Amino acid sequence: TLLGRIIFLLISDNDIALKEQLSDIIKTLVSSDMTDVRDPRGSPTADTRFNDDAGLKGDSVGSEAQGFGTVFFDKYFVRLLSAHKKAHDIFKKQPADTPATDFAVILSTLTGQCGSALAASHRIICELISLCVVTYQQRTRHLFLQHNFLKYLFCVLDSKETCLHLGPLKVVRV
């Protein structure tokens, strides 16, 4: 699917400008989802075009927006951290008697990205996760607990690449 391809390119491409454009697409979709569901005061909006009292059945704007959120979280949110999960598993399976390979090197090898593209990808993924936490608080927190995502993000803190350290801290701060 198109969204799956966008996330794949976000995780694996070396072009930083492309990553920024792809992240803007996802941010727009996630942000517009929240705008359609809530008015400026934060209360749910009412769509009178599909009034059940009038006997009409159909999806309202709010339920369509929730539909995107459901699809995104059910199929694609976990993909944002799939490379981090694989790198974490490899990092933790390293023998204790040999010098450990840096987490950033493992992640770079898995994704095929150079150092600057890896840093940009990691920063963008952390920004998207932070936006999802703000937009879908309950759903995102449930996924974090269910899949233990913080463990995968915090593995980056063991890396010598200090430019990767700020992303997970931003996610926790939100």
Side-chain angles (χ1 to χ4, degrees), residues 88-99:
H88 171 267
D89 294 343
I90 292 170
F91 184 74
K92 292 300 178 184
K93 289 181 183 176
Q94 295 182 82
D97 56 343
T98 61

Side-chain angles (χ1 to χ4, degrees), residues 5 15 53 75 95 97 123 132 145 147 149 153 170:
R5 186 71 180 150
D15 187 353
D53 295 335
K75 297 186 179 197
D97 56 343
R123 177 186 52 79
C132 289
L145 292 173
H147 295 286
F149 284 144
L153 284 176
K170 285 182 179 179

Side-chain angles (χ1 to χ4, degrees), residues 18 37 145:
L18 177 65
V37 177
L145 292 173

